[in-house]
Amino acid sequence: MSGPVLEVEALTKRFGKVTAVDAVSFAVGRGATAALLGANGAGKTTTLAMVLGLLLPSAGSVRIFGSDLAANRYALLPRMNFSSPYTDLPHRLTVRENLTVYARLYNLDGVRQRIERMAETLDLGDFLKRPTGKLSAGQRTRVALAKALLNDPELLLLDEPSASLDPNTADWVRGVIERYRAETSATILLASHNMAEVERLCDDVFVMYAGRIVESGTPKAMIERHGRSTLEEVFLEIVRGTSNLGEAAQ
Ligand code: ATP
């Protein structure tokens, strides 16, 4: 297949009177990692949920590996996966049981070996036997990433992949994501509030404001365009130019 792995065209989601995502278009090429940035409520999670087929768009389309998601959902979903701090795994099941359920949902072979491999990759050995509900928030983030990598996805969607992680573990998890990408050439779309993470991992950035993409480019190009030295400074400039919170903070 040539062309982008992910193409989003005029994607829109309305919840009653709220337009959470407003005619958003972007593309992510094979093997690239892209980020959706934006203040709380900008529409990042809603966009990811539509790309995953979890939410039906009010308008617009999502093409994945060149096929329309709405028409080819069941052929496309096995080639994708996601992690999100907002999707809770059943609390009473142990981590191993949860990963086994997901492996079976994906109809994967070699379930035991896959889980062992994930446990090794994400250093889960100590808590495979523990009920998922008794893990700390940061431990659950690692389990969510293990679940996301279980089927070797070619398209990986990550909503705040380092949420609740201490700086050392966050750095280590970013290394896990980088290695996965290097080994598999997977395409990754992530939403993040951590600008250092985005600078390290991402080839392209799409900044959302009130459901629209207001700026895009490589982190380096955006930093240069704004005459700043970090993406964090660029983000603050864009957000403070558009929100009342920014005025209060200055
Ligand atoms: P955050 O950084 O806080 O995670 P976000 O950029 O991911 O924010 P979304 O969760 O996509 O933002 O929300 C975008 C807008 O859509 C917000 O105004 C939110 O209140 C609204 N919204 C999201 N889900 C629903 C829903 N199920 N019903 C009604 N409104 C919703």
Side-chain angles (χ1 to χ4, degrees):
M1 191 208 102
S2 59
V5 163
L6 172 64
E7 286 171 279
V8 167
E9 187 71 43
L11 197 63
T12 301
K13 183 67 190 180
R14 286 182 284 271
F15 296 107
K17 286 184 185 156
V18 176
T19 303
V21 176
D22 192 359
V24 157
S25 301
F26 64 91
V28 187
R30 180 170 295 274
T33 300
L36 294 174
L37 305 187
N40 295 134
K44 305 177 297 293
T45 298
T46 307
T47 302
L48 288 179
M50 287 191 282
V51 171
L52 273 163
L54 296 175
L55 267 183
L56 280 181
S58 308
S61 67
V62 176
R63 290 182 75 77
I64 296 174
F65 309 120
S67 300
D68 182 62
L69 176 65
N72 300 283
R73 199 180 137 87
Y74 292 104
L76 293 172
L77 289 182
R79 301 172 67 185
M80 308 161 54
N81 206 334
F82 77 103
S83 88
S84 164
Y86 310 112
T87 315
D88 232 357
L89 299 171
H91 281 201
R92 282 199 210 153
L93 297 187
T94 64
V95 170
R96 185 189 291 282
E97 286 166 343
N98 263 315
L99 293 177
T100 304
V101 167
Y102 273 95
R104 299 218 185 287
L105 282 176
Y106 275 96
N107 207 14
L108 301 175
D109 51 18
V111 172
R112 179 179 282 273
Q113 295 90 315
R114 273 179 197 267
I115 292 175
E116 293 310 324
R117 185 155 49 87
M118 276 305 121
E120 204 173 305
T121 306
L122 283 150
D123 201 16
L124 304 180
D126 285 348
F127 34 92
L128 274 182
K129 286 187 195 146
R130 288 171 57 188
T132 307
K134 294 200 170 158
L135 301 179
S136 76
Q139 289 166 342
R140 277 205 293 270
T141 298
R142 270 153 67 186
V143 172
L145 189 57
K147 182 238 114 192
L149 297 180
L150 211 48
N151 62 326
D152 302 320
E154 295 163 70
L155 174 61
L156 181 61
L157 303 163
L158 302 171
D159 199 354
E160 299 187 38
S162 54
S164 308
L165 297 179
D166 69 72
N168 182 37
T169 308
D171 182 68
W172 176 80
V173 161
R174 286 170 202 140
V176 171
I177 296 169
E178 282 179 324
R179 273 195 301 285
Y180 180 73
R181 182 180 55 181
E183 285 164 10
T184 63
S185 300
T187 304
I188 302 175
L189 176 65
L190 58 88
S192 178
H193 291 299
N194 186 307
M195 298 303 129
E197 170 170 287
V198 172
E199 271 190 64
R200 171 167 164 188
L201 294 178
C202 296
D203 307 295
D204 290 302
V205 170
F206 306 105
V207 184
M208 294 185 74
Y209 171 73
R212 291 171 182 257
I213 292 179
V214 292
E215 188 149 343
S216 61
T218 65
K220 188 166 176 279
M222 285 177 64
I223 290 167
E224 280 171 11
R225 198 181 311 143
H226 285 260
R228 300 288 187 166
S229 51
T230 63
L231 196 60
E232 175 119 7
E233 291 173 6
V234 173
F235 180 82
L236 290 174
E237 184 181 319
I238 295 172
V239 170
R240 288 182 178 167
T242 49
S243 91
N244 298 328
L245 264 188
E247 285 160 26
Q250 279 168 342

